[in-house]
């Protein structure tokens, strides 16, 4: 059965989430290697898992339609508080294995000087221990981009707010994993500060979310240890270098250039057995560039199925703006060149079409690169779609927030991410929102 991999946008393309390395055993090394292979995303995972998250979300938020669904005090909510060897440790994460932590984010308001501990397989001695700026965004486990804070020189914002801390070093566990935060500064704070109602949260603020994979119970996982962390040092360094390198190599490249009149198109036939597109580069020139980036559409079909239809600006992650940006999967440079590095496999036939739906001429030039690809029974077609909400308000007329649907996917596939562009015309909205995934 042919399967589709579906990526969705708001008004823009996707941000990657890694899935599906195909080793029999899940190890620290296999999880690291998985992150650096773009082609891995085109295979449905052979090891069954579900992605879950522990976070500091407001526990009043339970289900749609019920009171508290939009409760917004999403900080300092912990699972419980433990006493360990005289220490007060706040439990943030606690689950049975087999599994693996794959993403970790934290930020603080005056409570950043505590100690994080990661306990594996019910051991009372943590396998990892350190301050957030050491463990999550320092060099205790790895350097950037696997452990990173905001860019150098960025302002902290409101007084006392700590930088964001981001960790992507995987933490596999076979039987159990628990993560705690020790911070003597934290004190109990109530839901209603005027009426002392028990069951509140803690203060100062600790914000966190920790994403993890829960593998099926028969999956063989090698738990993290200091020994295999040390052995993986070079591999982590190479992975970080790879993730910051956008250069790709193709076995063949096909260039194109055309002045496309309104209503006309450019069609490229990239058909070749057992191949995959691994690079698309487009340079677009028009009198009205913001409009051309929206009204010029990239469409692609693989083995007769159209799975891509999106404005070129959205597909390459720049929207209608001319600002340079760079991710591991797409980029736009200062000269206007837009590139995509998604691996898009096909068995026999691939057709890429660029259509001018605007009212003025556009000039297009660029190239498409191909690599050899091994089609297997768990291979999937690449897909990207685009959706836009416009003229919306951040609250209803009654002042209430509301849910905005990103995507509703049915069928078998892997959702590898989204890339969101917000066009905001007010300084009164922070641009915040809570993601809810069902």
């Amino acid at each position: 059965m042919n399967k589709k991999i579906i990526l969705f946008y708001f008004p823009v393309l996707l941000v990657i989430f890694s899935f599906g390395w195909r080793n029999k055993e899940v190890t620290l090394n296999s999880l690291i290697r998985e992150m650096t292979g773009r082609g891995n995303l085109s295979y449905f995972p052979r090891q069954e898992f579900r992605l879950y998250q522990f976070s500091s979300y407001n526990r009043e938020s339970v289900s749609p339609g019920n009171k508290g669904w939009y409760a917004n005090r999403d900080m300092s909510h912990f699972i419980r508080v433990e006493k360990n060897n005289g220490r007060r440790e706040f439990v943030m994460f606690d689950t049975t294995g087999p599994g693996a932590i794959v993403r970790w984010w934290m930020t603080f308001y005056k409570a950043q000087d505590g100690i994080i501990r990661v306990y594996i397989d019910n051991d009372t001695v943590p396998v990892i221990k350190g301050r957030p700026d050491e463990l999550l965004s320092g060099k205790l486990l790895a350097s950037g981009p696997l452990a990173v804070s905001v860019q150098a020189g960025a302002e902290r914002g409101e007084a006392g707010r700590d930088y964001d801390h981001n960790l992507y070093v995987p933490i596999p566990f076979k039987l159990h994993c628990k993560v705690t935060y020790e911070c003597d500064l934290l004190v109990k704070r109530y839901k209603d500060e005027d009426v002392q109602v028990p069951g509140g949260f803690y203060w100062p603020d600790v914000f966190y979310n920790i994403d993890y994979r829960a593998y099926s119970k028969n999956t063989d996982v090698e738990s993290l240890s200091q020994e295999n962390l040390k052995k993986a040092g070079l591999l982590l360094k190479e992975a970080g270098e790879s993730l910051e390198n956008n250069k790709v190599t193709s076995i063949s490249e096909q260039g194109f250039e055309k002045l496309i009149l309104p209503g006309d198109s450019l069609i490229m036939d990239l058909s070749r057995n057992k191949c995959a597109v691994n690079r698309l580069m487009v340079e677009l020139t028009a009198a009205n560039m913001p409009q051309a980036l929206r009204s010029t559409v990239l469409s692609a079909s693989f083995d007769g199925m159209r799975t891509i239809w999106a404005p070129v600006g959205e597909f390459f992650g720049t929207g209608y703006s001319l600002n340079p940006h760079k991710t591991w999967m797409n980029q736009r440079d200062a000269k206007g060149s837009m590139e995509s590095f998604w691996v898009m496999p096909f068995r026999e036939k691939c057709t890429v079409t660029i259509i001018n739906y605007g009212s003025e001429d556009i000039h297009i030039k660029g190239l498409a690169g191909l690599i050899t690809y091994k089609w297997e029974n768990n291979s999937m077609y690449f897909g990207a779609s685009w959706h836009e909400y416009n003229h919306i308000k951040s609250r209803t007329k009654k002042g209430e927030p509301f849910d905005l649907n990103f995507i509703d996917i049915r069928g078998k596939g892997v959702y590898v991410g989204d890339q969101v562009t917000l066009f905001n015309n007010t300084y009164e909205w922070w641009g915040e929102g809570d993601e809810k995934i069902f």
Side-chain angles (χ1 to χ4, degrees), residues 180-220:
T180 69
Y181 189 58
E182 177 193 4
C183 181
D184 293 336
L185 193 63
L186 292 172
V187 297
K188 195 74 170 182
R189 192 169 184 174
Y190 295 98
K191 297 179 183 178
D192 188 327
E193 295 170 42
D194 297 322
V195 180
Q196 298 295 293
V197 179
F201 53 101
Y202 285 83
W203 176 261
D205 296 346
V206 176
F207 300 83
Y208 68 89
N209 51 57
I210 306 173
D211 296 346
Y212 74 102
R213 295 178 179 181
Y215 291 101
S216 59
K217 63 180 182 179
N218 295 324
T219 304
D220 189 8

mmCIF file of all heavy atoms in Angstrom, residues 180-220:
data_model
loop_
_atom_site.group_PDB
_atom_site.id
_atom_site.type_symbol
_atom_site.label_atom_id
_atom_site.label_comp_id
_atom_site.label_asym_id
_atom_site.label_seq_id
_atom_site.Cartn_x
_atom_site.Cartn_y
_atom_site.Cartn_z
ATOM 1 N N THR A 180 13.405 15.609 37.940
ATOM 2 C CA THR A 180 13.016 16.498 39.032
ATOM 3 C C THR A 180 13.778 17.817 38.947
ATOM 4 O O THR A 180 14.815 17.918 38.283
ATOM 5 C CB THR A 180 13.284 15.859 40.405
ATOM 6 O OG1 THR A 180 14.705 15.768 40.623
ATOM 7 C CG2 THR A 180 12.661 14.476 40.506
ATOM 8 N N TYR A 181 13.239 18.821 39.647
ATOM 9 C CA TYR A 181 13.891 20.127 39.740
ATOM 10 C C TYR A 181 13.944 20.545 41.198
ATOM 11 O O TYR A 181 12.913 20.630 41.870
ATOM 12 C CB TYR A 181 13.132 21.166 38.919
ATOM 13 C CG TYR A 181 13.862 22.486 38.789
ATOM 14 C CD1 TYR A 181 15.123 22.530 38.234
ATOM 15 C CD2 TYR A 181 13.280 23.672 39.220
ATOM 16 C CE1 TYR A 181 15.810 23.733 38.103
ATOM 17 C CE2 TYR A 181 13.943 24.880 39.095
ATOM 18 C CZ TYR A 181 15.220 24.911 38.531
ATOM 19 O OH TYR A 181 15.885 26.097 38.411
ATOM 20 N N GLU A 182 15.134 20.746 41.701
ATOM 21 C CA GLU A 182 15.322 21.201 43.078
ATOM 22 C C GLU A 182 15.558 22.706 43.067
ATOM 23 O O GLU A 182 16.503 23.195 42.442
ATOM 24 C CB GLU A 182 16.522 20.498 43.717
ATOM 25 C CG GLU A 182 16.811 20.979 45.134
ATOM 26 C CD GLU A 182 18.158 20.526 45.643
ATOM 27 O OE1 GLU A 182 18.911 19.899 44.863
ATOM 28 O OE2 GLU A 182 18.465 20.805 46.819
ATOM 29 N N CYS A 183 14.681 23.447 43.752
ATOM 30 C CA CYS A 183 14.827 24.898 43.832
ATOM 31 C C CYS A 183 14.213 25.371 45.144
ATOM 32 O O CYS A 183 12.989 25.357 45.305
ATOM 33 C CB CYS A 183 14.156 25.586 42.645
ATOM 34 S SG CYS A 183 14.323 27.380 42.654
ATOM 35 N N ASP A 184 15.042 25.779 46.069
ATOM 36 C CA ASP A 184 14.564 26.181 47.389
ATOM 37 C C ASP A 184 13.752 27.468 47.344
ATOM 38 O O ASP A 184 13.024 27.780 48.284
ATOM 39 C CB ASP A 184 15.756 26.358 48.342
ATOM 40 C CG ASP A 184 16.451 25.042 48.642
ATOM 41 O OD1 ASP A 184 15.791 23.991 48.520
ATOM 42 O OD2 ASP A 184 17.650 25.062 48.970
ATOM 43 N N LEU A 185 13.851 28.203 46.255
ATOM 44 C CA LEU A 185 13.136 29.472 46.138
ATOM 45 C C LEU A 185 11.633 29.284 45.970
ATOM 46 O O LEU A 185 10.837 30.167 46.298
ATOM 47 C CB LEU A 185 13.704 30.257 44.937
ATOM 48 C CG LEU A 185 13.325 31.731 44.807
ATOM 49 C CD1 LEU A 185 13.861 32.528 45.980
ATOM 50 C CD2 LEU A 185 13.869 32.293 43.494
ATOM 51 N N LEU A 186 11.206 28.120 45.442
ATOM 52 C CA LEU A 186 9.807 27.911 45.111
ATOM 53 C C LEU A 186 8.932 27.800 46.358
ATOM 54 O O LEU A 186 9.235 27.054 47.283
ATOM 55 C CB LEU A 186 9.647 26.649 44.260
ATOM 56 C CG LEU A 186 10.233 26.711 42.843
ATOM 57 C CD1 LEU A 186 10.171 25.359 42.188
ATOM 58 C CD2 LEU A 186 9.511 27.743 42.002
ATOM 59 N N VAL A 187 7.818 28.547 46.349
ATOM 60 C CA VAL A 187 6.840 28.502 47.434
ATOM 61 C C VAL A 187 5.451 28.329 46.840
ATOM 62 O O VAL A 187 5.201 28.637 45.679
ATOM 63 C CB VAL A 187 6.878 29.788 48.294
ATOM 64 C CG1 VAL A 187 8.216 29.929 48.979
ATOM 65 C CG2 VAL A 187 6.578 31.016 47.439
ATOM 66 N N LYS A 188 4.520 27.828 47.650
ATOM 67 C CA LYS A 188 3.162 27.572 47.189
ATOM 68 C C LYS A 188 2.436 28.877 46.892
ATOM 69 O O LYS A 188 2.536 29.836 47.659
ATOM 70 C CB LYS A 188 2.392 26.793 48.256
ATOM 71 C CG LYS A 188 1.093 26.166 47.772
ATOM 72 C CD LYS A 188 1.353 24.956 46.918
ATOM 73 C CE LYS A 188 0.072 24.180 46.641
ATOM 74 N NZ LYS A 188 0.311 22.979 45.852
ATOM 75 N N ARG A 189 1.728 28.896 45.766
ATOM 76 C CA ARG A 189 0.901 30.042 45.416
ATOM 77 C C ARG A 189 -0.482 29.530 45.069
ATOM 78 O O ARG A 189 -0.615 28.475 44.465
ATOM 79 C CB ARG A 189 1.496 30.802 44.226
ATOM 80 C CG ARG A 189 0.844 32.169 43.994
ATOM 81 C CD ARG A 189 1.662 32.963 42.988
ATOM 82 N NE ARG A 189 1.120 34.297 42.811
ATOM 83 C CZ ARG A 189 1.695 35.249 42.083
ATOM 84 N NH1 ARG A 189 2.839 34.982 41.484
ATOM 85 N NH2 ARG A 189 1.144 36.431 41.949
ATOM 86 N N TYR A 190 -1.508 30.289 45.422
ATOM 87 C CA TYR A 190 -2.868 29.784 45.293
ATOM 88 C C TYR A 190 -3.507 30.202 43.982
ATOM 89 O O TYR A 190 -3.076 31.145 43.318
ATOM 90 C CB TYR A 190 -3.710 30.257 46.481
ATOM 91 C CG TYR A 190 -3.244 29.679 47.788
ATOM 92 C CD1 TYR A 190 -2.413 30.410 48.633
ATOM 93 C CD2 TYR A 190 -3.588 28.390 48.163
ATOM 94 C CE1 TYR A 190 -1.952 29.865 49.815
ATOM 95 C CE2 TYR A 190 -3.130 27.836 49.346
ATOM 96 C CZ TYR A 190 -2.311 28.583 50.168
ATOM 97 O OH TYR A 190 -1.851 28.043 51.331
ATOM 98 N N LYS A 191 -4.566 29.474 43.601
ATOM 99 C CA LYS A 191 -5.287 29.791 42.371
ATOM 100 C C LYS A 191 -5.835 31.199 42.413
ATOM 101 O O LYS A 191 -5.772 31.946 41.446
ATOM 102 C CB LYS A 191 -6.432 28.795 42.161
ATOM 103 C CG LYS A 191 -5.992 27.354 41.969
ATOM 104 C CD LYS A 191 -7.204 26.468 41.798
ATOM 105 C CE LYS A 191 -6.808 25.009 41.679
ATOM 106 N NZ LYS A 191 -7.999 24.141 41.570
ATOM 107 N N ASP A 192 -6.444 31.570 43.531
ATOM 108 C CA ASP A 192 -7.004 32.897 43.716
ATOM 109 C C ASP A 192 -6.207 33.558 44.829
ATOM 110 O O ASP A 192 -6.257 33.147 45.978
ATOM 111 C CB ASP A 192 -8.485 32.807 44.087
ATOM 112 C CG ASP A 192 -9.157 34.172 44.090
ATOM 113 O OD1 ASP A 192 -8.467 35.150 44.424
ATOM 114 O OD2 ASP A 192 -10.351 34.246 43.760
ATOM 115 N N GLU A 193 -5.441 34.594 44.481
ATOM 116 C CA GLU A 193 -4.530 35.179 45.451
ATOM 117 C C GLU A 193 -5.249 35.969 46.545
ATOM 118 O O GLU A 193 -4.672 36.269 47.583
ATOM 119 C CB GLU A 193 -3.518 36.063 44.727
ATOM 120 C CG GLU A 193 -2.613 35.256 43.803
ATOM 121 C CD GLU A 193 -1.777 36.150 42.911
ATOM 122 O OE1 GLU A 193 -1.271 37.161 43.418
ATOM 123 O OE2 GLU A 193 -1.646 35.840 41.715
ATOM 124 N N ASP A 194 -6.514 36.357 46.304
ATOM 125 C CA ASP A 194 -7.272 37.086 47.317
ATOM 126 C C ASP A 194 -7.965 36.136 48.283
ATOM 127 O O ASP A 194 -8.153 36.446 49.454
ATOM 128 C CB ASP A 194 -8.318 37.987 46.646
ATOM 129 C CG ASP A 194 -7.651 39.049 45.769
ATOM 130 O OD1 ASP A 194 -6.599 39.565 46.187
ATOM 131 O OD2 ASP A 194 -8.180 39.332 44.690
ATOM 132 N N VAL A 195 -8.366 34.978 47.780
ATOM 133 C CA VAL A 195 -8.991 33.958 48.614
ATOM 134 C C VAL A 195 -8.046 32.764 48.665
ATOM 135 O O VAL A 195 -7.691 32.206 47.632
ATOM 136 C CB VAL A 195 -10.372 33.537 48.059
ATOM 137 C CG1 VAL A 195 -10.985 32.475 48.958
ATOM 138 C CG2 VAL A 195 -11.283 34.733 47.909
ATOM 139 N N GLN A 196 -7.628 32.376 49.835
ATOM 140 C CA GLN A 196 -6.626 31.326 49.980
ATOM 141 C C GLN A 196 -7.232 29.948 49.701
ATOM 142 O O GLN A 196 -7.664 29.242 50.599
ATOM 143 C CB GLN A 196 -6.022 31.372 51.382
ATOM 144 C CG GLN A 196 -5.298 32.689 51.679
ATOM 145 C CD GLN A 196 -4.067 32.864 50.780
ATOM 146 O OE1 GLN A 196 -3.101 32.115 50.913
ATOM 147 N NE2 GLN A 196 -4.108 33.826 49.879
ATOM 148 N N VAL A 197 -7.264 29.570 48.428
ATOM 149 C CA VAL A 197 -7.820 28.292 48.003
ATOM 150 C C VAL A 197 -6.687 27.285 47.855
ATOM 151 O O VAL A 197 -5.726 27.530 47.125
ATOM 152 C CB VAL A 197 -8.582 28.431 46.665
ATOM 153 C CG1 VAL A 197 -9.138 27.089 46.233
ATOM 154 C CG2 VAL A 197 -9.682 29.463 46.798
ATOM 155 N N PRO A 198 -6.749 26.151 48.545
ATOM 156 C CA PRO A 198 -5.669 25.154 48.420
ATOM 157 C C PRO A 198 -5.585 24.596 46.996
ATOM 158 O O PRO A 198 -6.541 24.629 46.231
ATOM 159 C CB PRO A 198 -6.097 24.062 49.408
ATOM 160 C CG PRO A 198 -7.059 24.725 50.338
ATOM 161 C CD PRO A 198 -7.769 25.759 49.513
ATOM 162 N N GLY A 199 -4.423 24.058 46.672
ATOM 163 C CA GLY A 199 -4.256 23.373 45.388
ATOM 164 C C GLY A 199 -3.719 24.242 44.289
ATOM 165 O O GLY A 199 -3.917 23.965 43.108
ATOM 166 N N GLY A 200 -3.023 25.310 44.636
ATOM 167 C CA GLY A 200 -2.505 26.207 43.611
ATOM 168 C C GLY A 200 -1.208 25.725 43.008
ATOM 169 O O GLY A 200 -0.843 24.561 43.102
ATOM 170 N N PHE A 201 -0.474 26.670 42.410
ATOM 171 C CA PHE A 201 0.794 26.343 41.782
ATOM 172 C C PHE A 201 1.928 26.949 42.621
ATOM 173 O O PHE A 201 1.712 27.398 43.746
ATOM 174 C CB PHE A 201 0.823 26.849 40.341
ATOM 175 C CG PHE A 201 0.490 28.322 40.211
ATOM 176 C CD1 PHE A 201 1.484 29.265 40.040
ATOM 177 C CD2 PHE A 201 -0.829 28.759 40.233
ATOM 178 C CE1 PHE A 201 1.196 30.612 39.914
ATOM 179 C CE2 PHE A 201 -1.137 30.105 40.096
ATOM 180 C CZ PHE A 201 -0.122 31.036 39.941
ATOM 181 N N TYR A 202 3.146 26.946 42.055
ATOM 182 C CA TYR A 202 4.290 27.446 42.809
ATOM 183 C C TYR A 202 4.811 28.742 42.198
ATOM 184 O O TYR A 202 4.509 29.088 41.052
ATOM 185 C CB TYR A 202 5.398 26.395 42.861
ATOM 186 C CG TYR A 202 5.090 25.266 43.805
ATOM 187 C CD1 TYR A 202 4.296 24.196 43.411
ATOM 188 C CD2 TYR A 202 5.576 25.274 45.113
ATOM 189 C CE1 TYR A 202 4.001 23.167 44.286
ATOM 190 C CE2 TYR A 202 5.283 24.250 46.002
ATOM 191 C CZ TYR A 202 4.492 23.207 45.576
ATOM 192 O OH TYR A 202 4.190 22.194 46.454
ATOM 193 N N TRP A 203 5.584 29.453 42.980
ATOM 194 C CA TRP A 203 6.117 30.753 42.587
ATOM 195 C C TRP A 203 7.546 30.859 43.110
ATOM 196 O O TRP A 203 7.820 30.383 44.202
ATOM 197 C CB TRP A 203 5.234 31.860 43.181
ATOM 198 C CG TRP A 203 5.757 33.247 42.924
ATOM 199 C CD1 TRP A 203 6.483 34.029 43.786
ATOM 200 C CD2 TRP A 203 5.628 33.995 41.725
ATOM 201 N NE1 TRP A 203 6.798 35.217 43.207
ATOM 202 C CE2 TRP A 203 6.288 35.223 41.919
ATOM 203 C CE3 TRP A 203 5.034 33.749 40.484
ATOM 204 C CZ2 TRP A 203 6.358 36.211 40.954
ATOM 205 C CZ3 TRP A 203 5.100 34.727 39.512
ATOM 206 C CH2 TRP A 203 5.750 35.936 39.751
ATOM 207 N N PRO A 204 8.505 31.455 42.384
ATOM 208 C CA PRO A 204 8.395 32.073 41.061
ATOM 209 C C PRO A 204 8.149 31.060 39.938
ATOM 210 O O PRO A 204 8.178 29.862 40.174
ATOM 211 C CB PRO A 204 9.753 32.751 40.879
ATOM 212 C CG PRO A 204 10.345 32.862 42.237
ATOM 213 C CD PRO A 204 9.831 31.669 42.977
ATOM 214 N N ASP A 205 7.964 31.582 38.736
ATOM 215 C CA ASP A 205 7.512 30.755 37.611
ATOM 216 C C ASP A 205 8.598 29.819 37.095
ATOM 217 O O ASP A 205 9.738 30.211 36.890
ATOM 218 C CB ASP A 205 7.057 31.631 36.439
ATOM 219 C CG ASP A 205 5.845 32.470 36.801
ATOM 220 O OD1 ASP A 205 5.218 32.182 37.827
ATOM 221 O OD2 ASP A 205 5.531 33.415 36.046
ATOM 222 N N VAL A 206 8.182 28.565 36.858
ATOM 223 C CA VAL A 206 8.992 27.581 36.139
ATOM 224 C C VAL A 206 8.131 27.054 34.993
ATOM 225 O O VAL A 206 7.084 26.459 35.226
ATOM 226 C CB VAL A 206 9.416 26.408 37.049
ATOM 227 C CG1 VAL A 206 10.163 25.351 36.236
ATOM 228 C CG2 VAL A 206 10.279 26.902 38.198
ATOM 229 N N PHE A 207 8.541 27.307 33.778
ATOM 230 C CA PHE A 207 7.822 26.842 32.594
ATOM 231 C C PHE A 207 8.619 25.695 31.970
ATOM 232 O O PHE A 207 9.838 25.797 31.828
ATOM 233 C CB PHE A 207 7.687 27.954 31.543
ATOM 234 C CG PHE A 207 6.949 29.176 32.006
ATOM 235 C CD1 PHE A 207 7.595 30.171 32.728
ATOM 236 C CD2 PHE A 207 5.611 29.352 31.701
ATOM 237 C CE1 PHE A 207 6.928 31.309 33.133
ATOM 238 C CE2 PHE A 207 4.927 30.483 32.107
ATOM 239 C CZ PHE A 207 5.590 31.466 32.834
ATOM 240 N N TYR A 208 7.939 24.637 31.547
ATOM 241 C CA TYR A 208 8.671 23.545 30.907
ATOM 242 C C TYR A 208 7.738 22.702 30.048
ATOM 243 O O TYR A 208 6.541 22.626 30.287
ATOM 244 C CB TYR A 208 9.361 22.649 31.948
ATOM 245 C CG TYR A 208 8.422 21.844 32.820
ATOM 246 C CD1 TYR A 208 7.994 20.570 32.442
ATOM 247 C CD2 TYR A 208 7.949 22.349 34.036
ATOM 248 C CE1 TYR A 208 7.133 19.827 33.239
ATOM 249 C CE2 TYR A 208 7.100 21.617 34.843
ATOM 250 C CZ TYR A 208 6.691 20.358 34.443
ATOM 251 O OH TYR A 208 5.831 19.629 35.219
ATOM 252 N N ASN A 209 8.294 22.092 29.023
ATOM 253 C CA ASN A 209 7.663 20.951 28.363
ATOM 254 C C ASN A 209 8.738 19.981 27.922
ATOM 255 O O ASN A 209 9.804 20.374 27.458
ATOM 256 C CB ASN A 209 6.718 21.346 27.217
ATOM 257 C CG ASN A 209 7.333 22.274 26.218
ATOM 258 O OD1 ASN A 209 8.358 21.980 25.630
ATOM 259 N ND2 ASN A 209 6.702 23.430 26.020
ATOM 260 N N ILE A 210 8.458 18.700 28.143
ATOM 261 C CA ILE A 210 9.399 17.618 27.837
ATOM 262 C C ILE A 210 8.671 16.605 26.966
ATOM 263 O O ILE A 210 7.708 15.970 27.398
ATOM 264 C CB ILE A 210 9.904 16.940 29.130
ATOM 265 C CG1 ILE A 210 10.505 17.978 30.102
ATOM 266 C CG2 ILE A 210 10.953 15.881 28.788
ATOM 267 C CD1 ILE A 210 10.872 17.405 31.459
ATOM 268 N N ASP A 211 9.111 16.483 25.709
ATOM 269 C CA ASP A 211 8.491 15.556 24.764
ATOM 270 C C ASP A 211 9.228 14.219 24.807
ATOM 271 O O ASP A 211 10.461 14.177 24.864
ATOM 272 C CB ASP A 211 8.557 16.101 23.340
ATOM 273 C CG ASP A 211 7.754 17.386 23.186
ATOM 274 O OD1 ASP A 211 6.959 17.695 24.077
ATOM 275 O OD2 ASP A 211 7.950 18.085 22.173
ATOM 276 N N TYR A 212 8.457 13.134 24.739
ATOM 277 C CA TYR A 212 9.094 11.820 24.773
ATOM 278 C C TYR A 212 8.321 10.820 23.927
ATOM 279 O O TYR A 212 7.130 10.976 23.672
ATOM 280 C CB TYR A 212 9.224 11.305 26.212
ATOM 281 C CG TYR A 212 7.933 10.823 26.846
ATOM 282 C CD1 TYR A 212 7.649 9.471 26.957
ATOM 283 C CD2 TYR A 212 6.992 11.729 27.337
ATOM 284 C CE1 TYR A 212 6.472 9.014 27.543
ATOM 285 C CE2 TYR A 212 5.819 11.301 27.924
ATOM 286 C CZ TYR A 212 5.559 9.942 28.026
ATOM 287 O OH TYR A 212 4.390 9.500 28.594
ATOM 288 N N ARG A 213 9.028 9.809 23.489
ATOM 289 C CA ARG A 213 8.428 8.701 22.753
ATOM 290 C C ARG A 213 8.129 7.563 23.725
ATOM 291 O O ARG A 213 8.996 7.182 24.507
ATOM 292 C CB ARG A 213 9.375 8.183 21.677
ATOM 293 C CG ARG A 213 9.680 9.162 20.577
ATOM 294 C CD ARG A 213 10.671 8.545 19.611
ATOM 295 N NE ARG A 213 10.985 9.451 18.513
ATOM 296 C CZ ARG A 213 11.806 9.137 17.521
ATOM 297 N NH1 ARG A 213 12.399 7.944 17.506
ATOM 298 N NH2 ARG A 213 12.039 9.996 16.551
ATOM 299 N N ALA A 214 6.935 7.042 23.650
ATOM 300 C CA ALA A 214 6.570 5.839 24.391
ATOM 301 C C ALA A 214 6.531 4.694 23.393
ATOM 302 O O ALA A 214 5.631 4.619 22.546
ATOM 303 C CB ALA A 214 5.217 6.019 25.071
ATOM 304 N N TYR A 215 7.525 3.817 23.443
ATOM 305 C CA TYR A 215 7.603 2.686 22.517
ATOM 306 C C TYR A 215 6.687 1.559 22.979
ATOM 307 O O TYR A 215 6.319 1.469 24.157
ATOM 308 C CB TYR A 215 9.037 2.175 22.430
ATOM 309 C CG TYR A 215 9.994 3.132 21.752
ATOM 310 C CD1 TYR A 215 10.849 3.933 22.503
ATOM 311 C CD2 TYR A 215 10.046 3.231 20.371
ATOM 312 C CE1 TYR A 215 11.726 4.813 21.890
ATOM 313 C CE2 TYR A 215 10.922 4.105 19.749
ATOM 314 C CZ TYR A 215 11.754 4.897 20.511
ATOM 315 O OH TYR A 215 12.623 5.768 19.904
ATOM 316 N N SER A 216 6.332 0.690 22.048
ATOM 317 C CA SER A 216 5.558 -0.501 22.419
ATOM 318 C C SER A 216 6.377 -1.344 23.393
ATOM 319 O O SER A 216 7.611 -1.304 23.397
ATOM 320 C CB SER A 216 5.192 -1.316 21.175
ATOM 321 O OG SER A 216 6.350 -1.723 20.479
ATOM 322 N N LYS A 217 5.690 -2.121 24.223
ATOM 323 C CA LYS A 217 6.340 -2.758 25.364
ATOM 324 C C LYS A 217 7.435 -3.751 24.983
ATOM 325 O O LYS A 217 8.319 -4.046 25.796
ATOM 326 C CB LYS A 217 5.294 -3.455 26.235
ATOM 327 C CG LYS A 217 4.544 -4.590 25.545
ATOM 328 C CD LYS A 217 3.521 -5.204 26.494
ATOM 329 C CE LYS A 217 2.784 -6.369 25.838
ATOM 330 N NZ LYS A 217 1.795 -6.978 26.773
ATOM 331 N N ASN A 218 7.417 -4.276 23.784
ATOM 332 C CA ASN A 218 8.424 -5.260 23.377
ATOM 333 C C ASN A 218 9.655 -4.633 22.716
ATOM 334 O O ASN A 218 10.566 -5.350 22.289
ATOM 335 C CB ASN A 218 7.804 -6.277 22.420
ATOM 336 C CG ASN A 218 6.732 -7.113 23.089
ATOM 337 O OD1 ASN A 218 6.848 -7.456 24.263
ATOM 338 N ND2 ASN A 218 5.670 -7.429 22.357
ATOM 339 N N THR A 219 9.688 -3.299 22.639
ATOM 340 C CA THR A 219 10.827 -2.633 22.007
ATOM 341 C C THR A 219 12.071 -2.736 22.889
ATOM 342 O O THR A 219 12.011 -2.509 24.096
ATOM 343 C CB THR A 219 10.508 -1.150 21.755
ATOM 344 O OG1 THR A 219 9.309 -1.051 20.978
ATOM 345 C CG2 THR A 219 11.636 -0.467 21.004
ATOM 346 N N ASP A 220 13.182 -3.074 22.284
ATOM 347 C CA ASP A 220 14.444 -3.214 23.006
ATOM 348 C C ASP A 220 15.131 -1.853 23.054
ATOM 349 O O ASP A 220 15.536 -1.309 22.022
ATOM 350 C CB ASP A 220 15.332 -4.237 22.306
ATOM 351 C CG ASP A 220 16.569 -4.590 23.124
ATOM 352 O OD1 ASP A 220 16.645 -4.161 24.297
ATOM 353 O OD2 ASP A 220 17.451 -5.275 22.594
#
